[in-house]
């Protein structure tokens, strides 16, 4: 038995107006890029000394999660994508500072990064790690954004090396942290070359 195919019915414009769908991905991407540019480029242009503190606590006070969710779909070599990765790193440190401190301590001798680049107190405790990651993010407003990205990448690389040494933490956690480190490092180099947009 053969099935006859019919030409699709032509829909009127009103039909498409009545169809509810998701948000246009192009608009979401544009919003992510604009918010990222404002936070990174706009913050550095500001003469307001409190901008750094406001940026740091944006996640806690202004509901940055909604913006960060929009950033999550951005490529890692974009401002929005790199900000997403910085906030993921901060959230991870704040969610498990004891575990991250243990991983960092275990990874210090294994990772090929300079301690000064990672910027962590010696010895690193949970509170010192929270302070360090907050200082890195505070740098979004006050210092070279490439430096912010490279410091965060170095920190993530050390944590990844530490996790690799714990058999119970090995596997997906190690790969995710190493990917995060590599993406932040690549974004930092793109920023240095003037290619991060």
């Amino acid at each position: 038995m053969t099935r006859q195919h019919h030409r699709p019915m032509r829909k009127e414009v009103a039909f498409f107006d009545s169809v509810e769908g998701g948000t246009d991905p192009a608009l979401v991407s544009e919003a992510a890029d604009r918010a990222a540019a404002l936070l990174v480029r706009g913050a550095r242009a500001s003469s307001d000394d409190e901008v750094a503190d406001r940026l740091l606590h944006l996640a806690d006070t202004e509901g940055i999660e909604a913006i960060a969710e929009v950033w999550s779909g951005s490529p890692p070599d974009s401002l929005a994508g790199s900000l997403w990765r910085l906030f993921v790193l901060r959230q991870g440190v704040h969610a498990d500072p004891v575990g991250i401190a243990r991983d960092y301590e275990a990874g210090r001798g294994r990772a090929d990064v300079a301690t000064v680049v990672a910027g962590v107190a010696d010895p690193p405790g949970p509170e010192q790690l929270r302070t360090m990651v907050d200082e890195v993010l505070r740098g979004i407003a006050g210092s070279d954004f490439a430096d912010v990205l490279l410091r965060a990448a170095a920190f993530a690389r050390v944590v990844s090396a530490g996790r690799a040494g714990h058999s119970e933490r090995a596997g997906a956690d190690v790969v995710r942290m190493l990917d995060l480190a590599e993406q932040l490092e690549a974004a930092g180099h793109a920023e240095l070359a003037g290619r991060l947009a």
Side-chain angles (χ1 to χ4, degrees), residues 72 74-79 81-86 88 145-146 149-150 152-154 156-157 175-191 196:
S72 70
S74 299
D77 61 346
S78 67
L79 279 176
S82 59
L83 283 174
W84 164 251
R85 284 148 183 84
L86 288 172
V88 164
F145 190 55
L149 294 168
L150 294 172
R157 189 172 297 283
V175 171
R176 276 193 294 272
M177 189 60 74
L178 186 57
D179 284 347
L180 182 66
E182 290 173 352
Q183 291 168 350
L184 287 167
E185 186 174 352
H189 290 298
E191 175 71 1
L196 191 66

PDB file of all heavy atoms in Angstrom, residues 72 74-79 81-86 88 145-146 149-150 152-154 156-157 175-191 196:
ATOM      1  N   SER A  72      26.127  30.296  29.778  1.00  0.00           N
ATOM      2  CA  SER A  72      26.548  28.889  29.736  1.00  0.00           C
ATOM      3  C   SER A  72      26.573  28.325  28.321  1.00  0.00           C
ATOM      4  O   SER A  72      27.315  27.389  28.054  1.00  0.00           O
ATOM      5  CB  SER A  72      25.654  28.033  30.631  1.00  0.00           C
ATOM      6  OG  SER A  72      24.354  27.923  30.081  1.00  0.00           O
ATOM      7  N   SER A  74      27.546  30.003  25.716  1.00  0.00           N
ATOM      8  CA  SER A  74      28.516  30.761  24.915  1.00  0.00           C
ATOM      9  C   SER A  74      29.813  29.979  24.738  1.00  0.00           C
ATOM     10  O   SER A  74      30.215  29.234  25.630  1.00  0.00           O
ATOM     11  CB  SER A  74      28.820  32.096  25.599  1.00  0.00           C
ATOM     12  OG  SER A  74      27.644  32.867  25.719  1.00  0.00           O
ATOM     13  N   PRO A  75      30.466  30.172  23.606  1.00  0.00           N
ATOM     14  CA  PRO A  75      31.726  29.464  23.385  1.00  0.00           C
ATOM     15  C   PRO A  75      32.784  29.884  24.402  1.00  0.00           C
ATOM     16  O   PRO A  75      32.778  31.030  24.864  1.00  0.00           O
ATOM     17  CB  PRO A  75      32.134  29.865  21.971  1.00  0.00           C
ATOM     18  CG  PRO A  75      31.176  30.878  21.496  1.00  0.00           C
ATOM     19  CD  PRO A  75      30.082  31.019  22.496  1.00  0.00           C
ATOM     20  N   PRO A  76      33.697  28.977  24.745  1.00  0.00           N
ATOM     21  CA  PRO A  76      34.703  29.294  25.758  1.00  0.00           C
ATOM     22  C   PRO A  76      35.652  30.417  25.360  1.00  0.00           C
ATOM     23  O   PRO A  76      36.250  31.045  26.222  1.00  0.00           O
ATOM     24  CB  PRO A  76      35.469  27.982  25.937  1.00  0.00           C
ATOM     25  CG  PRO A  76      35.043  27.074  24.868  1.00  0.00           C
ATOM     26  CD  PRO A  76      33.795  27.617  24.255  1.00  0.00           C
ATOM     27  N   ASP A  77      35.772  30.693  24.070  1.00  0.00           N
ATOM     28  CA  ASP A  77      36.681  31.747  23.627  1.00  0.00           C
ATOM     29  C   ASP A  77      35.956  33.082  23.415  1.00  0.00           C
ATOM     30  O   ASP A  77      36.356  33.888  22.591  1.00  0.00           O
ATOM     31  CB  ASP A  77      37.417  31.322  22.359  1.00  0.00           C
ATOM     32  CG  ASP A  77      36.475  31.040  21.196  1.00  0.00           C
ATOM     33  OD1 ASP A  77      35.250  30.917  21.433  1.00  0.00           O
ATOM     34  OD2 ASP A  77      36.957  30.937  20.058  1.00  0.00           O
ATOM     35  N   SER A  78      34.896  33.294  24.200  1.00  0.00           N
ATOM     36  CA  SER A  78      34.166  34.564  24.162  1.00  0.00           C
ATOM     37  C   SER A  78      34.154  35.166  25.563  1.00  0.00           C
ATOM     38  O   SER A  78      34.413  34.472  26.548  1.00  0.00           O
ATOM     39  CB  SER A  78      32.722  34.333  23.692  1.00  0.00           C
ATOM     40  OG  SER A  78      32.001  33.579  24.659  1.00  0.00           O
ATOM     41  N   LEU A  79      33.878  36.465  25.642  1.00  0.00           N
ATOM     42  CA  LEU A  79      33.770  37.098  26.960  1.00  0.00           C
ATOM     43  C   LEU A  79      32.711  36.404  27.808  1.00  0.00           C
ATOM     44  O   LEU A  79      32.945  36.080  28.976  1.00  0.00           O
ATOM     45  CB  LEU A  79      33.394  38.581  26.815  1.00  0.00           C
ATOM     46  CG  LEU A  79      34.507  39.555  26.496  1.00  0.00           C
ATOM     47  CD1 LEU A  79      33.941  40.952  26.293  1.00  0.00           C
ATOM     48  CD2 LEU A  79      35.553  39.565  27.576  1.00  0.00           C
ATOM     49  N   GLY A  81      31.459  33.373  27.542  1.00  0.00           N
ATOM     50  CA  GLY A  81      31.874  32.018  27.889  1.00  0.00           C
ATOM     51  C   GLY A  81      32.937  31.998  28.970  1.00  0.00           C
ATOM     52  O   GLY A  81      32.917  31.141  29.858  1.00  0.00           O
ATOM     53  N   SER A  82      33.864  32.929  28.908  1.00  0.00           N
ATOM     54  CA  SER A  82      34.912  32.965  29.934  1.00  0.00           C
ATOM     55  C   SER A  82      34.345  33.419  31.275  1.00  0.00           C
ATOM     56  O   SER A  82      34.751  32.904  32.323  1.00  0.00           O
ATOM     57  CB  SER A  82      36.090  33.841  29.500  1.00  0.00           C
ATOM     58  OG  SER A  82      35.687  35.162  29.246  1.00  0.00           O
ATOM     59  N   LEU A  83      33.398  34.343  31.269  1.00  0.00           N
ATOM     60  CA  LEU A  83      32.755  34.738  32.526  1.00  0.00           C
ATOM     61  C   LEU A  83      31.976  33.577  33.130  1.00  0.00           C
ATOM     62  O   LEU A  83      31.980  33.381  34.345  1.00  0.00           O
ATOM     63  CB  LEU A  83      31.826  35.937  32.309  1.00  0.00           C
ATOM     64  CG  LEU A  83      32.527  37.279  32.173  1.00  0.00           C
ATOM     65  CD1 LEU A  83      31.520  38.365  31.809  1.00  0.00           C
ATOM     66  CD2 LEU A  83      33.272  37.649  33.439  1.00  0.00           C
ATOM     67  N   TRP A  84      31.295  32.800  32.278  1.00  0.00           N
ATOM     68  CA  TRP A  84      30.585  31.618  32.766  1.00  0.00           C
ATOM     69  C   TRP A  84      31.562  30.698  33.500  1.00  0.00           C
ATOM     70  O   TRP A  84      31.294  30.213  34.590  1.00  0.00           O
ATOM     71  CB  TRP A  84      29.925  30.884  31.593  1.00  0.00           C
ATOM     72  CG  TRP A  84      29.518  29.493  31.921  1.00  0.00           C
ATOM     73  CD1 TRP A  84      30.099  28.348  31.470  1.00  0.00           C
ATOM     74  CD2 TRP A  84      28.451  29.069  32.769  1.00  0.00           C
ATOM     75  NE1 TRP A  84      29.454  27.243  31.974  1.00  0.00           N
ATOM     76  CE2 TRP A  84      28.438  27.663  32.783  1.00  0.00           C
ATOM     77  CE3 TRP A  84      27.498  29.748  33.517  1.00  0.00           C
ATOM     78  CZ2 TRP A  84      27.516  26.918  33.517  1.00  0.00           C
ATOM     79  CZ3 TRP A  84      26.578  29.009  34.245  1.00  0.00           C
ATOM     80  CH2 TRP A  84      26.599  27.616  34.238  1.00  0.00           C
ATOM     81  N   ARG A  85      32.724  30.466  32.908  1.00  0.00           N
ATOM     82  CA  ARG A  85      33.693  29.565  33.511  1.00  0.00           C
ATOM     83  C   ARG A  85      34.273  30.138  34.801  1.00  0.00           C
ATOM     84  O   ARG A  85      34.514  29.400  35.751  1.00  0.00           O
ATOM     85  CB  ARG A  85      34.766  29.227  32.486  1.00  0.00           C
ATOM     86  CG  ARG A  85      34.230  28.215  31.475  1.00  0.00           C
ATOM     87  CD  ARG A  85      34.803  28.355  30.078  1.00  0.00           C
ATOM     88  NE  ARG A  85      34.166  27.377  29.184  1.00  0.00           N
ATOM     89  CZ  ARG A  85      32.984  27.578  28.577  1.00  0.00           C
ATOM     90  NH1 ARG A  85      32.321  28.708  28.735  1.00  0.00           N
ATOM     91  NH2 ARG A  85      32.464  26.647  27.794  1.00  0.00           N
ATOM     92  N   LEU A  86      34.477  31.441  34.872  1.00  0.00           N
ATOM     93  CA  LEU A  86      34.944  32.051  36.119  1.00  0.00           C
ATOM     94  C   LEU A  86      33.910  31.896  37.238  1.00  0.00           C
ATOM     95  O   LEU A  86      34.254  31.578  38.378  1.00  0.00           O
ATOM     96  CB  LEU A  86      35.252  33.536  35.910  1.00  0.00           C
ATOM     97  CG  LEU A  86      36.507  33.864  35.108  1.00  0.00           C
ATOM     98  CD1 LEU A  86      36.581  35.358  34.820  1.00  0.00           C
ATOM     99  CD2 LEU A  86      37.759  33.391  35.833  1.00  0.00           C
ATOM    100  N   VAL A  88      31.577  29.582  37.404  1.00  0.00           N
ATOM    101  CA  VAL A  88      31.507  28.163  37.749  1.00  0.00           C
ATOM    102  C   VAL A  88      32.626  27.830  38.741  1.00  0.00           C
ATOM    103  O   VAL A  88      32.404  27.135  39.744  1.00  0.00           O
ATOM    104  CB  VAL A  88      31.611  27.282  36.488  1.00  0.00           C
ATOM    105  CG1 VAL A  88      31.923  25.833  36.841  1.00  0.00           C
ATOM    106  CG2 VAL A  88      30.327  27.355  35.687  1.00  0.00           C
ATOM    107  N   PHE A 145      42.144  41.731  32.292  1.00  0.00           N
ATOM    108  CA  PHE A 145      41.249  40.579  32.261  1.00  0.00           C
ATOM    109  C   PHE A 145      42.003  39.310  31.868  1.00  0.00           C
ATOM    110  O   PHE A 145      41.678  38.224  32.339  1.00  0.00           O
ATOM    111  CB  PHE A 145      40.073  40.841  31.317  1.00  0.00           C
ATOM    112  CG  PHE A 145      38.989  39.803  31.406  1.00  0.00           C
ATOM    113  CD1 PHE A 145      38.390  39.501  32.614  1.00  0.00           C
ATOM    114  CD2 PHE A 145      38.564  39.134  30.277  1.00  0.00           C
ATOM    115  CE1 PHE A 145      37.394  38.538  32.708  1.00  0.00           C
ATOM    116  CE2 PHE A 145      37.561  38.179  30.352  1.00  0.00           C
ATOM    117  CZ  PHE A 145      36.979  37.879  31.575  1.00  0.00           C
ATOM    118  N   ALA A 146      43.024  39.438  31.045  1.00  0.00           N
ATOM    119  CA  ALA A 146      43.836  38.270  30.680  1.00  0.00           C
ATOM    120  C   ALA A 146      44.483  37.678  31.930  1.00  0.00           C
ATOM    121  O   ALA A 146      44.531  36.460  32.102  1.00  0.00           O
ATOM    122  CB  ALA A 146      44.891  38.645  29.655  1.00  0.00           C
ATOM    123  N   LEU A 149      41.946  35.664  33.891  1.00  0.00           N
ATOM    124  CA  LEU A 149      41.699  34.366  33.271  1.00  0.00           C
ATOM    125  C   LEU A 149      42.861  33.403  33.476  1.00  0.00           C
ATOM    126  O   LEU A 149      42.653  32.220  33.786  1.00  0.00           O
ATOM    127  CB  LEU A 149      41.417  34.543  31.775  1.00  0.00           C
ATOM    128  CG  LEU A 149      40.135  35.296  31.433  1.00  0.00           C
ATOM    129  CD1 LEU A 149      40.110  35.668  29.958  1.00  0.00           C
ATOM    130  CD2 LEU A 149      38.905  34.494  31.806  1.00  0.00           C
ATOM    131  N   LEU A 150      44.083  33.888  33.338  1.00  0.00           N
ATOM    132  CA  LEU A 150      45.249  33.021  33.478  1.00  0.00           C
ATOM    133  C   LEU A 150      45.450  32.576  34.924  1.00  0.00           C
ATOM    134  O   LEU A 150      45.850  31.428  35.170  1.00  0.00           O
ATOM    135  CB  LEU A 150      46.495  33.716  32.918  1.00  0.00           C
ATOM    136  CG  LEU A 150      46.458  33.944  31.406  1.00  0.00           C
ATOM    137  CD1 LEU A 150      47.638  34.802  30.958  1.00  0.00           C
ATOM    138  CD2 LEU A 150      46.413  32.628  30.645  1.00  0.00           C
ATOM    139  N   ALA A 152      43.019  32.189  37.136  1.00  0.00           N
ATOM    140  CA  ALA A 152      41.953  31.215  37.376  1.00  0.00           C
ATOM    141  C   ALA A 152      42.300  29.884  36.714  1.00  0.00           C
ATOM    142  O   ALA A 152      42.067  28.811  37.291  1.00  0.00           O
ATOM    143  CB  ALA A 152      40.621  31.747  36.849  1.00  0.00           C
ATOM    144  N   ALA A 153      42.874  29.931  35.515  1.00  0.00           N
ATOM    145  CA  ALA A 153      43.270  28.714  34.811  1.00  0.00           C
ATOM    146  C   ALA A 153      44.341  27.958  35.589  1.00  0.00           C
ATOM    147  O   ALA A 153      44.278  26.727  35.724  1.00  0.00           O
ATOM    148  CB  ALA A 153      43.777  29.057  33.408  1.00  0.00           C
ATOM    149  N   ALA A 154      45.328  28.696  36.113  1.00  0.00           N
ATOM    150  CA  ALA A 154      46.392  28.057  36.888  1.00  0.00           C
ATOM    151  C   ALA A 154      45.825  27.390  38.134  1.00  0.00           C
ATOM    152  O   ALA A 154      46.189  26.262  38.477  1.00  0.00           O
ATOM    153  CB  ALA A 154      47.451  29.093  37.270  1.00  0.00           C
ATOM    154  N   ALA A 156      42.729  26.272  38.582  1.00  0.00           N
ATOM    155  CA  ALA A 156      41.946  25.102  38.180  1.00  0.00           C
ATOM    156  C   ALA A 156      42.861  23.943  37.783  1.00  0.00           C
ATOM    157  O   ALA A 156      42.556  22.783  38.067  1.00  0.00           O
ATOM    158  CB  ALA A 156      41.007  25.464  37.027  1.00  0.00           C
ATOM    159  N   ARG A 157      43.996  24.252  37.158  1.00  0.00           N
ATOM    160  CA  ARG A 157      44.938  23.199  36.761  1.00  0.00           C
ATOM    161  C   ARG A 157      45.537  22.510  37.988  1.00  0.00           C
ATOM    162  O   ARG A 157      45.671  21.286  38.029  1.00  0.00           O
ATOM    163  CB  ARG A 157      46.046  23.789  35.889  1.00  0.00           C
ATOM    164  CG  ARG A 157      46.931  22.737  35.263  1.00  0.00           C
ATOM    165  CD  ARG A 157      47.892  23.348  34.245  1.00  0.00           C
ATOM    166  NE  ARG A 157      47.243  23.959  33.110  1.00  0.00           N
ATOM    167  CZ  ARG A 157      46.712  23.300  32.079  1.00  0.00           C
ATOM    168  NH1 ARG A 157      46.738  21.995  32.060  1.00  0.00           N
ATOM    169  NH2 ARG A 157      46.167  23.938  31.069  1.00  0.00           N
ATOM    170  N   VAL A 175      38.572  15.488  34.695  1.00  0.00           N
ATOM    171  CA  VAL A 175      38.439  15.934  33.305  1.00  0.00           C
ATOM    172  C   VAL A 175      37.719  17.281  33.238  1.00  0.00           C
ATOM    173  O   VAL A 175      38.145  18.184  32.511  1.00  0.00           O
ATOM    174  CB  VAL A 175      37.713  14.865  32.454  1.00  0.00           C
ATOM    175  CG1 VAL A 175      37.378  15.393  31.072  1.00  0.00           C
ATOM    176  CG2 VAL A 175      38.562  13.610  32.354  1.00  0.00           C
ATOM    177  N   ARG A 176      36.638  17.425  34.000  1.00  0.00           N
ATOM    178  CA  ARG A 176      35.899  18.701  33.994  1.00  0.00           C
ATOM    179  C   ARG A 176      36.769  19.861  34.459  1.00  0.00           C
ATOM    180  O   ARG A 176      36.774  20.940  33.851  1.00  0.00           O
ATOM    181  CB  ARG A 176      34.647  18.596  34.870  1.00  0.00           C
ATOM    182  CG  ARG A 176      33.464  17.986  34.169  1.00  0.00           C
ATOM    183  CD  ARG A 176      32.184  18.195  34.964  1.00  0.00           C
ATOM    184  NE  ARG A 176      32.189  17.496  36.226  1.00  0.00           N
ATOM    185  CZ  ARG A 176      31.773  16.238  36.399  1.00  0.00           C
ATOM    186  NH1 ARG A 176      31.327  15.547  35.370  1.00  0.00           N
ATOM    187  NH2 ARG A 176      31.803  15.680  37.587  1.00  0.00           N
ATOM    188  N   MET A 177      37.520  19.649  35.548  1.00  0.00           N
ATOM    189  CA  MET A 177      38.369  20.724  36.067  1.00  0.00           C
ATOM    190  C   MET A 177      39.507  21.029  35.102  1.00  0.00           C
ATOM    191  O   MET A 177      39.860  22.190  34.894  1.00  0.00           O
ATOM    192  CB  MET A 177      38.898  20.357  37.449  1.00  0.00           C
ATOM    193  CG  MET A 177      39.613  21.502  38.144  1.00  0.00           C
ATOM    194  SD  MET A 177      38.615  23.006  38.430  1.00  0.00           S
ATOM    195  CE  MET A 177      37.565  22.475  39.775  1.00  0.00           C
ATOM    196  N   LEU A 178      40.073  20.012  34.480  1.00  0.00           N
ATOM    197  CA  LEU A 178      41.147  20.234  33.510  1.00  0.00           C
ATOM    198  C   LEU A 178      40.609  20.956  32.273  1.00  0.00           C
ATOM    199  O   LEU A 178      41.253  21.873  31.750  1.00  0.00           O
ATOM    200  CB  LEU A 178      41.802  18.908  33.119  1.00  0.00           C
ATOM    201  CG  LEU A 178      43.031  19.020  32.227  1.00  0.00           C
ATOM    202  CD1 LEU A 178      44.105  19.892  32.857  1.00  0.00           C
ATOM    203  CD2 LEU A 178      43.585  17.623  31.928  1.00  0.00           C
ATOM    204  N   ASP A 179      39.428  20.576  31.810  1.00  0.00           N
ATOM    205  CA  ASP A 179      38.798  21.285  30.688  1.00  0.00           C
ATOM    206  C   ASP A 179      38.577  22.753  31.042  1.00  0.00           C
ATOM    207  O   ASP A 179      38.835  23.636  30.226  1.00  0.00           O
ATOM    208  CB  ASP A 179      37.456  20.647  30.312  1.00  0.00           C
ATOM    209  CG  ASP A 179      37.607  19.344  29.545  1.00  0.00           C
ATOM    210  OD1 ASP A 179      38.729  19.037  29.079  1.00  0.00           O
ATOM    211  OD2 ASP A 179      36.594  18.622  29.412  1.00  0.00           O
ATOM    212  N   LEU A 180      38.094  22.997  32.250  1.00  0.00           N
ATOM    213  CA  LEU A 180      37.870  24.370  32.703  1.00  0.00           C
ATOM    214  C   LEU A 180      39.183  25.153  32.680  1.00  0.00           C
ATOM    215  O   LEU A 180      39.239  26.282  32.185  1.00  0.00           O
ATOM    216  CB  LEU A 180      37.259  24.359  34.104  1.00  0.00           C
ATOM    217  CG  LEU A 180      36.921  25.711  34.715  1.00  0.00           C
ATOM    218  CD1 LEU A 180      35.803  26.386  33.933  1.00  0.00           C
ATOM    219  CD2 LEU A 180      36.506  25.538  36.170  1.00  0.00           C
ATOM    220  N   ALA A 181      40.251  24.534  33.191  1.00  0.00           N
ATOM    221  CA  ALA A 181      41.562  25.191  33.202  1.00  0.00           C
ATOM    222  C   ALA A 181      42.025  25.521  31.787  1.00  0.00           C
ATOM    223  O   ALA A 181      42.485  26.635  31.509  1.00  0.00           O
ATOM    224  CB  ALA A 181      42.583  24.296  33.899  1.00  0.00           C
ATOM    225  N   GLU A 182      41.889  24.555  30.882  1.00  0.00           N
ATOM    226  CA  GLU A 182      42.348  24.770  29.509  1.00  0.00           C
ATOM    227  C   GLU A 182      41.521  25.829  28.790  1.00  0.00           C
ATOM    228  O   GLU A 182      42.062  26.630  28.019  1.00  0.00           O
ATOM    229  CB  GLU A 182      42.332  23.440  28.752  1.00  0.00           C
ATOM    230  CG  GLU A 182      43.417  22.492  29.237  1.00  0.00           C
ATOM    231  CD  GLU A 182      43.335  21.110  28.626  1.00  0.00           C
ATOM    232  OE1 GLU A 182      42.341  20.802  27.919  1.00  0.00           O
ATOM    233  OE2 GLU A 182      44.280  20.321  28.858  1.00  0.00           O
ATOM    234  N   GLN A 183      40.224  25.844  29.044  1.00  0.00           N
ATOM    235  CA  GLN A 183      39.365  26.851  28.409  1.00  0.00           C
ATOM    236  C   GLN A 183      39.676  28.246  28.934  1.00  0.00           C
ATOM    237  O   GLN A 183      39.729  29.213  28.158  1.00  0.00           O
ATOM    238  CB  GLN A 183      37.900  26.490  28.619  1.00  0.00           C
ATOM    239  CG  GLN A 183      37.496  25.258  27.834  1.00  0.00           C
ATOM    240  CD  GLN A 183      36.147  24.708  28.251  1.00  0.00           C
ATOM    241  OE1 GLN A 183      35.555  25.118  29.242  1.00  0.00           O
ATOM    242  NE2 GLN A 183      35.650  23.744  27.484  1.00  0.00           N
ATOM    243  N   LEU A 184      39.895  28.370  30.251  1.00  0.00           N
ATOM    244  CA  LEU A 184      40.241  29.674  30.825  1.00  0.00           C
ATOM    245  C   LEU A 184      41.602  30.149  30.309  1.00  0.00           C
ATOM    246  O   LEU A 184      41.783  31.325  30.003  1.00  0.00           O
ATOM    247  CB  LEU A 184      40.233  29.607  32.352  1.00  0.00           C
ATOM    248  CG  LEU A 184      38.864  29.528  33.002  1.00  0.00           C
ATOM    249  CD1 LEU A 184      38.983  29.139  34.471  1.00  0.00           C
ATOM    250  CD2 LEU A 184      38.111  30.843  32.856  1.00  0.00           C
ATOM    251  N   GLU A 185      42.539  29.222  30.199  1.00  0.00           N
ATOM    252  CA  GLU A 185      43.864  29.580  29.689  1.00  0.00           C
ATOM    253  C   GLU A 185      43.790  30.040  28.234  1.00  0.00           C
ATOM    254  O   GLU A 185      44.401  31.043  27.851  1.00  0.00           O
ATOM    255  CB  GLU A 185      44.809  28.391  29.829  1.00  0.00           C
ATOM    256  CG  GLU A 185      46.240  28.715  29.467  1.00  0.00           C
ATOM    257  CD  GLU A 185      47.190  27.567  29.745  1.00  0.00           C
ATOM    258  OE1 GLU A 185      46.786  26.553  30.352  1.00  0.00           O
ATOM    259  OE2 GLU A 185      48.353  27.692  29.333  1.00  0.00           O
ATOM    260  N   ALA A 186      43.042  29.320  27.419  1.00  0.00           N
ATOM    261  CA  ALA A 186      42.885  29.705  26.010  1.00  0.00           C
ATOM    262  C   ALA A 186      42.213  31.078  25.904  1.00  0.00           C
ATOM    263  O   ALA A 186      42.614  31.906  25.076  1.00  0.00           O
ATOM    264  CB  ALA A 186      42.075  28.657  25.254  1.00  0.00           C
ATOM    265  N   ALA A 187      41.216  31.320  26.742  1.00  0.00           N
ATOM    266  CA  ALA A 187      40.544  32.624  26.732  1.00  0.00           C
ATOM    267  C   ALA A 187      41.517  33.721  27.164  1.00  0.00           C
ATOM    268  O   ALA A 187      41.505  34.826  26.613  1.00  0.00           O
ATOM    269  CB  ALA A 187      39.319  32.594  27.639  1.00  0.00           C
ATOM    270  N   GLY A 188      42.359  33.424  28.148  1.00  0.00           N
ATOM    271  CA  GLY A 188      43.360  34.401  28.592  1.00  0.00           C
ATOM    272  C   GLY A 188      44.324  34.771  27.479  1.00  0.00           C
ATOM    273  O   GLY A 188      44.646  35.943  27.277  1.00  0.00           O
ATOM    274  N   HIS A 189      44.768  33.775  26.727  1.00  0.00           N
ATOM    275  CA  HIS A 189      45.673  34.047  25.604  1.00  0.00           C
ATOM    276  C   HIS A 189      44.951  34.798  24.475  1.00  0.00           C
ATOM    277  O   HIS A 189      45.543  35.672  23.835  1.00  0.00           O
ATOM    278  CB  HIS A 189      46.303  32.755  25.093  1.00  0.00           C
ATOM    279  CG  HIS A 189      47.292  32.169  26.058  1.00  0.00           C
ATOM    280  ND1 HIS A 189      48.433  32.814  26.452  1.00  0.00           N
ATOM    281  CD2 HIS A 189      47.272  30.991  26.735  1.00  0.00           C
ATOM    282  CE1 HIS A 189      49.097  32.078  27.317  1.00  0.00           C
ATOM    283  NE2 HIS A 189      48.407  30.960  27.514  1.00  0.00           N
ATOM    284  N   ALA A 190      43.682  34.471  24.262  1.00  0.00           N
ATOM    285  CA  ALA A 190      42.895  35.205  23.265  1.00  0.00           C
ATOM    286  C   ALA A 190      42.734  36.662  23.682  1.00  0.00           C
ATOM    287  O   ALA A 190      42.821  37.572  22.845  1.00  0.00           O
ATOM    288  CB  ALA A 190      41.524  34.545  23.074  1.00  0.00           C
ATOM    289  N   GLU A 191      42.537  36.900  24.972  1.00  0.00           N
ATOM    290  CA  GLU A 191      42.425  38.279  25.475  1.00  0.00           C
ATOM    291  C   GLU A 191      43.739  39.026  25.283  1.00  0.00           C
ATOM    292  O   GLU A 191      43.746  40.181  24.871  1.00  0.00           O
ATOM    293  CB  GLU A 191      42.018  38.258  26.956  1.00  0.00           C
ATOM    294  CG  GLU A 191      41.977  39.608  27.617  1.00  0.00           C
ATOM    295  CD  GLU A 191      40.834  40.511  27.177  1.00  0.00           C
ATOM    296  OE1 GLU A 191      40.001  40.104  26.328  1.00  0.00           O
ATOM    297  OE2 GLU A 191      40.759  41.637  27.672  1.00  0.00           O
ATOM    298  N   LEU A 196      39.497  38.199  22.141  1.00  0.00           N
ATOM    299  CA  LEU A 196      38.368  37.776  22.966  1.00  0.00           C
ATOM    300  C   LEU A 196      37.272  38.824  22.884  1.00  0.00           C
ATOM    301  O   LEU A 196      37.453  39.965  23.272  1.00  0.00           O
ATOM    302  CB  LEU A 196      38.819  37.590  24.426  1.00  0.00           C
ATOM    303  CG  LEU A 196      37.831  36.900  25.346  1.00  0.00           C
ATOM    304  CD1 LEU A 196      37.611  35.453  24.925  1.00  0.00           C
ATOM    305  CD2 LEU A 196      38.328  36.940  26.775  1.00  0.00           C
TER     306      LEU A 196
END
